[in-house]
Amino acid sequence: MRMGVLDVGSNTVHLLLVDAHRGARPLPVYKQKTDLRLVELLDKSGSIGKQGAQRLVECCQSAVEVAEDKGATSMLAFATSALREAVNGTAVLDQVREKAGVDLQILSGEDEARLTFLAVRRWYGWSSGRLLSFDIGGGSLELAAGIDEDPDVAVSLPLGAARLTRDWFSEDPPSKDEVRALRRHVRAEIASIVGSVSRYGDPDQAVASSKTFRSLARVAGAAPSGDGPYVRRTLSRDDVEALVKKLGSMPAADRAKLQGVSAGRAEQLLAGAIVADAAMDLFDVDSVDVCPWALREGVILRRLDQIEGAGFGESDESG
C-alpha cells in the first residue's frame, strides 16, 4: 500500500510517501518539505498566532492534495514539540482538522525518542547490540538506549537547535559569552539524565539521526546524500568539538556556504553543534554512525507492526 506520513516539526513540515508492505522495507517514493518554523512563530505568551495557524493549515491542505495525487490510501499525521508546547495547541489542532481534514496526533517527547529508536534498531539490526541514539530536532533533543526494539530508557530534553538559537543568541555570530552560557546550560541539562540512561549499561554502538547531525557530518567530510543511504557516515567527537569553534566565529550567511548546510539550517547549526558536542562528551562517545532513518520511519514501522498484529489475530481466530 502507498502510505503518507505528515510530520509537523518545530522547523519544517515534511510529507513522506512510501510504498509499505508486510515484511518489506518501506520504500520512499516522494518527499515534500516546507520550512514553516513553528517554533519561531510562538509569541511571548507561548501561543501560535493567527498567521502561523493559517500557514500550518495551508501546508496540511497541500500535503493532503499531493498525497491523493500520488495515490496514497492512508495518512499518518503527527506533530512534535512546537505544537505540543503551544498554549493554544489544541485550538490549532482543531483548525487543522476542520479546514484541512487532517487529524494531527501530538507525540510526547518520550514517544519521539522511542519511535526514533525503533527506526534506528531496524536499520542497524540485532548485530549492533545495545544501542544509544541521539536525535536533535528544532525544539528538543531525544535520547534512547536499549538492547531490544523498545528501549530501556527514552528521554526528551528541551534542547532543540531552533529553540536554543532563539532563546540564547542575540547576535550573528553570537558573542563568546552567549556561546559559553548556552554551553553551560546544555551540559547541565544533559548531565542531569546521564545516570538514568547509563545505568542500563554501556552501548555497543552509538547512533545519531536528524538533519542537524547529517549536516554536521557532511561539513566534517561525510559522503553527500546523493551517494545513497547505504554509504556509512560517521561523526567523531573531535570533529564536533572543532566545528563548535569554527561555526561560532562564522555568521549564518557564511555557514550556509559550507557543504551540506542549507540556508534554512545555517542559523541554528551552531546551537545544534553545541548540543551534539555535549551529548557525545558526557556520554563518553568517541563517534556516532549517522542513521538515514529517524522519527518518520519509526512511525511507519510501528503502524505496519500494528497492521501485521491485527492481521495475525484475525487469521488465528478464523482458523
Side-chain angles (χ1 to χ4, degrees):
M1 61 179 170
R2 180 155 294 184
M3 181 186 298
V5 181
L6 185 62
D7 173 3
V8 178
S10 298
N11 277 315
T12 57
V13 177
H14 275 93
L15 172 66
L16 172 64
L17 300 180
V18 298
D19 284 337
H21 304 282
R22 184 175 299 184
R25 174 179 64 91
L27 180 65
V29 293
Y30 183 82
K31 296 179 181 180
Q32 176 179 287
K33 181 178 74 171
T34 303
D35 288 322
L36 185 59
R37 295 182 178 274
L38 270 180
V39 72
E40 296 178 7
L41 297 177
L42 296 175
D43 60 26
K44 293 182 179 179
S45 70
S47 296
I48 297 174
K50 291 183 178 180
Q51 183 180 4
Q54 181 58 34
R55 288 175 60 190
L56 176 58
V57 167
E58 292 170 355
C59 284
C60 292
Q61 288 173 330
S62 174
V64 169
E65 293 172 1
V66 170
E68 290 176 351
D69 287 345
K70 299 295 183 181
T73 57
S74 64
M75 175 80 84
L76 302 173
F78 63 90
T80 54
S81 63
L83 270 173
R84 183 168 66 232
E85 298 170 10
V87 172
N88 62 337
T90 300
V92 173
L93 292 175
D94 290 341
Q95 289 186 52
V96 172
R97 187 180 302 109
E98 178 183 349
K99 297 179 180 179
V102 175
D103 187 14
L104 281 175
Q105 300 298 309
I106 300 294
L107 294 181
S108 69
E110 182 179 329
D111 286 340
E112 284 190 63
R114 289 185 176 279
L115 289 166
T116 300
F117 185 87
L118 171 63
V120 169
R121 168 61 74 192
R122 292 279 178 92
W123 183 268
Y124 289 100
W126 299 114
S127 63
S128 56
R130 180 171 294 279
L131 282 173
L132 171 64
S133 68
F134 303 115
D135 186 287
I136 302 171
S140 57
L141 163 70
E142 274 69 49
L143 305 96
I147 195 70
D148 297 318
E149 289 197 338
D150 192 34
D152 296 321
V153 58
V155 182
S156 178
L157 297 172
L159 298 178
R163 177 201 297 270
L164 297 178
T165 300
R166 179 197 64 193
D167 294 347
W168 290 82
F169 293 159
S170 64
E171 305 173 25
D172 180 26
S175 68
K176 291 183 178 180
D177 287 342
E178 286 184 334
V179 171
R180 183 178 180 182
L182 176 57
R183 183 178 184 275
R184 184 167 58 244
H185 168 72
V186 167
R187 285 175 174 262
E189 287 284 305
I190 295 176
S192 70
I193 56 92
V194 168
S196 63
V197 177
S198 299
R199 65 188 294 267
Y200 292 95
D202 294 332
D204 298 302
Q205 184 172 3
V207 177
S209 55
S210 75
K211 180 64 174 178
T212 293
F213 273 109
R214 290 196 298 271
S215 295
L216 291 171
R218 181 73 181 106
V219 174
S225 58
D227 286 359
Y230 300 114
V231 175
R232 187 185 181 196
R233 297 170 176 86
T234 62
L235 180 65
S236 73
R237 189 197 309 177
D238 289 342
D239 283 337
V240 176
E241 184 178 359
L243 282 173
V244 170
K245 297 177 181 178
K246 178 178 180 179
L247 297 171
S249 64
M250 302 172 68
D254 288 345
R255 292 180 209 146
K257 298 175 183 178
L258 298 172
Q259 55 186 6
V261 180
S262 65
R265 297 279 178 170
E267 183 180 8
Q268 57 191 258
L269 191 60
L270 171 59
I274 290 172
V275 175
D277 178 46
M280 294 175 70
D281 184 20
L282 292 170
F283 279 95
D284 196 23
V285 170
D286 291 330
S287 68
V288 292
D289 282 88
V290 181
C291 183
W293 278 7
L295 178 59
R296 284 184 292 280
E297 288 78 13
V299 169
I300 294 168
L301 293 167
R302 175 62 74 228
R303 177 57 178 159
L304 290 175
D305 288 347
Q306 292 169 347
I307 293 172
E308 291 177 21
F312 178 82
E314 292 166 3
S315 174
D316 187 53
E317 290 174 6
S318 63

